[in-house]
Amino acid sequence: MKNLTVCDMHCDTLTKAFDKKKLLFSNSLNVNLKNLNQYHSYTQFFAVFISPQYYSNPKKRCFDVINYMYNQITKNHEKITICKNLNDINKAINDNKLSAFLSIEGGEAIEELNDLKTFYDLGVRMLTLTWNFDNHIAGANGSNIGLSSFGKSVINKMNELGMIVDLSHSSIKTFFDVLEITDKPVVLSHSNSYTICPHQRNITDEQFKVLKQNNGCVGINFYPDFLTNSKKAEIFDIVAHIEYFLSLGGEDNISIGSDFDGIDYIATGIKSPTDVYKIFNLLSQRGISDEVIEKIAYKNIYRIIGICL
Ligand SMILES: [Zn+2]
């Protein structure tokens, strides 16, 4: 695996470690330094997740979790570093370090437009507009609500600052509203194909077609509910979603969004980043070229980081 480069757009390890008072990089969770360290280079987006119990003061919740991230990064600064752009990733690779990006999952944290700059200055480079409930920015999955007028100014400001718009958890209407006004590629950091698995957290063929035109990317989620609509899934099911998006001409628009430590069970055979290479091995066995596999493993996200940040 030491020749493989991987980038994963979404895990909940940071928030879980903070809540359970565990060390971020040395723990029994899915993601830790040992598990990330098996590869030539591993870039992991760490989400600050705002669960509904924190909706009364979502900004404080974010500050607390981000503070913990920097505390833990400082303690492991020889092995992992916070990245804010593509240059930072390249520097991390040269320094033989892992790359970490910060994201916020829940637009509740953005109470006024200036909050985006505050979080940007703290190193946050991706915002998931909603979790599973509508908010003042946008409608969530399953809802008929789209982007609010405040939400439009949020998208414009994110484009201007250099922060990636994440539409996982968003409603279909939000997706199309955002795609109409954004001038940068967007991501669905941890969602799958609705055609293969009809679940409201997944993306329809029509959405994927527009995502391709936008030069954006969908990160394949390892949660069985979103892979097979059941409690059971295997690595083959992850590959089935990838192959389906490939059949739609999406080789530039697929990546990984594991959802490690945010889900109560995972596809069999994928317990941690250590196992992620198995997906690429299976793709290779099924005749997918190394060039396409590299795009899925990291190049497609690197492209978006390069354009947006
Ligand atoms: Zn999520």
Side-chain angles (χ1 to χ4, degrees):
M1 287 188 274
K2 281 293 178 190
N3 59 343
L4 264 181
T5 297
V6 178
C7 183
D8 175 1
M9 283 202 285
H10 188 86
C11 78
D12 284 302
T13 313
L14 168 61
T15 309
K16 195 166 188 175
F18 176 77
D19 285 340
K20 296 197 174 291
K21 300 187 172 33
K22 288 180 189 273
L23 297 173
L24 179 53
F25 298 118
S26 173
N27 56 46
S28 55
L29 302 177
N30 298 140
V31 178
N32 56 48
L33 274 189
K34 209 172 120 219
N35 289 337
L36 294 172
N37 228 336
Q38 311 290 321
Y39 296 84
H40 167 64
S41 163
Y42 209 103
T43 300
Q44 179 70 61
F45 279 76
F46 288 91
V48 178
F49 170 55
I50 310 162
S51 48
Q53 70 197 94
Y54 297 100
Y55 286 172
S56 59
N57 198 347
K59 270 197 279 193
K60 183 183 180 301
R61 166 70 167 169
C62 290
F63 293 142
D64 289 346
V65 180
I66 292 170
N67 193 31
Y68 183 66
M69 179 69 166
Y70 280 102
N71 166 294
Q72 295 293 296
I73 287 275
T74 304
K75 289 195 167 115
N76 296 278
H77 65 96
E78 283 166 4
K79 294 180 183 137
I80 187 160
T81 187
I82 291 267
C83 292
K84 294 167 184 169
N85 53 45
L86 208 49
N87 283 343
D88 291 348
I89 299 179
N90 289 327
K91 189 173 180 312
I93 293 171
N94 282 336
D95 294 345
N96 208 14
K97 291 183 186 181
L98 296 160
S99 303
F101 276 83
L102 263 174
S103 65
I104 293 178
E105 186 172 25
E108 287 75 11
I110 313 302
E111 291 170 333
E112 52 182 329
L113 218 47
N114 283 341
D115 293 335
L116 282 169
K117 177 75 166 76
T118 304
F119 287 119
Y120 179 87
D121 288 342
L122 285 171
V124 175
R125 289 295 181 271
M126 183 188 286
L127 171 71
T128 316
L129 300 186
T130 68
W131 188 53
N132 289 335
F133 303 106
D134 298 340
N135 62 26
H136 61 308
I137 292 178
N141 60 97
S143 156
N144 293 323
I145 293 171
L147 196 63
S148 69
S149 59
F150 176 66
K152 284 178 186 157
S153 54
V154 166
I155 300 300
N156 291 334
K157 189 75 185 169
M158 288 176 74
N159 281 173
E160 181 192 316
L161 282 171
M163 204 185 268
I164 299 169
V165 177
D166 179 12
L167 298 173
S168 268
H169 289 282
S170 281
S171 70
I172 291 176
K173 180 152 178 25
T174 298
F175 174 90
F176 286 112
D177 286 352
V178 171
L179 272 281
E180 210 159 275
I181 62 162
T182 184
D183 54 19
K184 297 275 174 62
V186 303
V187 301
L188 292 93
S189 70
H190 54 303
S191 295
N192 297 335
S193 161
Y194 187 89
T195 300
I196 300 293
C197 174
H199 190 291
Q200 65 186 23
R201 278 279 287 99
N202 289 342
I203 171 175
T204 65
D205 292 359
E206 199 191 346
Q207 284 177 284
F208 190 67
K209 195 174 148 197
V210 175
L211 186 69
K212 274 173 59 186
Q213 289 160 0
N214 164 265
N215 210 11
C217 209
V218 60
I220 303 295
N221 191 313
F222 302 167
Y223 192 39
D225 284 43
F226 307 157
L227 288 166
T228 59
N229 244 336
S230 75
K231 305 295 175 205
K232 271 197 148 177
E234 296 175 21
I235 294 169
F236 175 79
D237 297 303
I238 295 171
V239 166
H241 282 263
I242 292 173
E243 286 184 335
Y244 182 69
F245 285 132
L246 285 175
S247 79
L248 300 178
E251 67 179 64
D252 295 319
N253 313 96
I254 315 163
S255 58
I256 298 296
S258 67
D259 221 350
F260 281 137
D261 293 310
I263 48 186
D264 36 12
Y265 38 92
I266 322 175
T268 309
I270 300 269
K271 283 205 190 78
S272 77
T274 314
D275 298 315
V276 167
Y277 79 96
K278 294 177 186 171
I279 299 166
F280 306 125
N281 276 3
L282 186 52
L283 283 168
S284 184
Q285 282 165 26
R286 293 177 61 82
I288 308 297
S289 72
D290 289 351
E291 191 196 339
V292 170
I293 290 172
E294 280 186 345
K295 286 182 180 184
I296 297 165
Y298 71 99
K299 282 188 175 166
N300 287 339
I301 312 180
Y302 278 22
R303 180 190 73 239
I304 288 169
I305 290 171
I307 297 170
C308 291
L309 308 187

